[in-house]
């Protein structure tokens, strides 16, 4: 990691975590099912990743895909997951929750942050679903979150760049604003220069063919929108290195 910027790579496998570190990532966001935007990973995945990388591992706490309005039982799952991830040496946690009218659920977040302590916590892209980003930022500052991961409430960080820039200016260093969502080697320089952000979040993945020789093409293990059965997406060392070099030259 170079002085002055930090690249976080989101991964859902041990191979991706190792590749992210080899490529120069400064931090890993560990989750399962990136296809769903990332959900809570298994304890086994966290343990093996921690055995294989030295950089900090922040663990996603999200009990399911979909919205960020949680039932009492889902909250209990999140609470238990936080406790378990702490026991198994997570370096930080990533979570978020909203009220039905699109505000940060300050009461629930305060509860969860208390369980997370003393670990640092990132508020994830639930932020991109809030009704008023400016108000949400102030709420998250007052709650004590370390950073906000955001695409600027748009389909990608590039599309949301004007809002990301305003959030960085509003934050004034009180909370880190980390752009994420569709960041590639083609747009990273523009996003960093246009936002003033010092950290960024990406997956830097490439397709990798399955090693299976026998293949049953008529069966799919997931829903119709799931990933192809015999293709894997893995963090690509070369892509991570390229992004790292772009950030170094930009910042």
């Amino acid at each position: 990691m170079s002085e002055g910027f930090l690249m976080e790579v989101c991964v859902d496998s041990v191979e991706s975590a190792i590749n992210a570190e080899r490529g120069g990532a400064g931090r890993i966001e560990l989750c399962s099912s990136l296809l769903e935007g990332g959900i809570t990973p298994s304890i086994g995945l966290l343990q093996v990743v921690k055995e294989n990388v030295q950089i900090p591992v922040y663990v996603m706490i999200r009990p399911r895909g979909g919205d960020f309005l949680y039932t009492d039982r889902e909250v209990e799952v999140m609470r238990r997951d936080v406790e378990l991830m702490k026991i198994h040496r997570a370096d930080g946690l990533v979570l978020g929750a909203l009220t039905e009218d699109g505000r940060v659920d300050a009461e629930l977040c305060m509860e969860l942050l208390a369980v997370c302590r003393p670990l640092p916590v990132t508020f994830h892209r639930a932020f991109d679903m809030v009704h008023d980003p400016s108000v949400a930022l102030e709420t998250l500052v007052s709650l004590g979150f370390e950073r906000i991961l955001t695409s600027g409430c748009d389909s990608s960080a590039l599309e949301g760049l004007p809002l990301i820039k305003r959030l960085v200016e509003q934050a004034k260093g009180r909370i880190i604003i980390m752009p994420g969502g569709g960041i590639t080697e083609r747009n990273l320089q523009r996003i960093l220069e246009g936002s003033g952000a010092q950290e960024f979040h990406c997956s830097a993945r490439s397709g990798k063919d399955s090693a299976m020789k026998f293949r049953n093409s008529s069966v799919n293990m997931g829903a119709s929108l799931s990933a192809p059965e015999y293709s894997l997406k893995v963090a690509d060392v070369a892509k991570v290195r390229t992004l790292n070099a772009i950030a170094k030259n930009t910042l």
Side-chain angles (χ1 to χ4, degrees):
M1 193 191 84
S2 165
E3 288 284 311
F5 78 93
L6 190 140
M7 168 170 46
E8 176 179 275
V9 178
C10 54
V11 307
D12 58 6
S13 69
V14 180
E15 185 181 0
S16 286
I18 292 168
N19 288 353
E21 182 175 61
R22 280 176 59 203
R27 183 174 60 236
I28 283 165
E29 180 197 82
L30 184 66
C31 52
S32 284
S33 191
L34 279 173
L35 197 67
E36 286 187 273
I39 57 175
T40 308
S42 72
I43 297 294
L45 180 56
L46 173 60
Q47 287 179 318
V48 180
V49 165
K50 287 291 293 179
E51 287 163 11
N52 282 277
V53 303
Q54 270 68 57
I55 57 175
V57 178
Y58 277 41
V59 179
M60 173 69 76
I61 303 295
R62 187 181 176 215
R64 56 163 173 77
D67 66 36
F68 304 101
L69 182 65
Y70 296 114
T71 65
D72 290 347
R73 288 193 177 107
E74 286 172 333
V75 170
E76 189 52 40
V77 170
M78 293 167 84
R79 196 191 311 273
R80 304 253 186 119
D81 279 336
V82 167
E83 289 166 353
L84 287 165
M85 298 307 171
K86 284 172 72 178
I87 290 166
H88 293 282
R89 301 192 301 123
D91 297 291
L93 298 157
V94 183
L95 57 85
L98 305 179
T99 61
E100 62 183 11
D101 57 354
R103 288 176 295 117
V104 171
D105 190 333
E107 192 180 336
L108 173 52
C109 285
M110 197 182 293
E111 261 180 62
L112 291 171
L113 283 168
V115 186
C116 293
R117 281 192 197 103
L119 295 185
V121 186
T122 299
F123 192 90
H124 59 43
R125 286 189 60 202
F127 186 86
D128 292 323
M129 300 301 190
V130 298
H131 175 65
D132 187 330
S134 178
V135 171
L137 184 149
E138 294 303 328
T139 303
L140 297 174
V141 168
S142 66
L143 286 167
F145 280 88
E146 182 183 63
R147 76 177 48 71
I148 298 167
L149 169 61
T150 179
S151 63
C153 301
D154 216 320
S155 55
S156 71
L158 189 60
E159 300 289 328
L161 191 52
L163 177 60
I164 294 171
K165 183 177 193 294
R166 290 202 300 276
L167 292 169
V168 170
E169 288 165 356
Q170 182 186 341
K172 291 189 177 74
R174 296 173 298 156
I175 190 168
I176 298 160
I177 305 298
M178 177 169 65
I183 291 182
T184 68
E185 52 271 35
R186 291 186 302 282
N187 61 29
L188 176 61
Q189 184 175 350
R190 196 164 145 204
I191 289 165
L192 291 178
E193 287 178 346
S195 66
Q198 297 293 303
E199 298 192 3
F200 66 97
H201 171 101
C202 58
S203 62
R205 295 191 299 165
S206 290
K208 179 186 171 186
D209 197 42
S210 164
M212 285 295 295
K213 288 190 169 63
F214 172 76
R215 301 185 178 197
N216 182 351
S217 58
S218 57
V219 177
N220 197 305
M221 291 294 155
S224 56
L225 289 173
S226 61
E229 212 61 54
Y230 295 105
S231 173
L232 308 168
K233 288 271 195 181
V234 179
D236 184 321
V237 178
K239 279 192 178 183
V240 178
R241 280 198 182 121
T242 302
L243 288 159
N244 203 35
I246 292 166
K248 209 171 195 170
N249 291 333
T250 305
L251 300 172

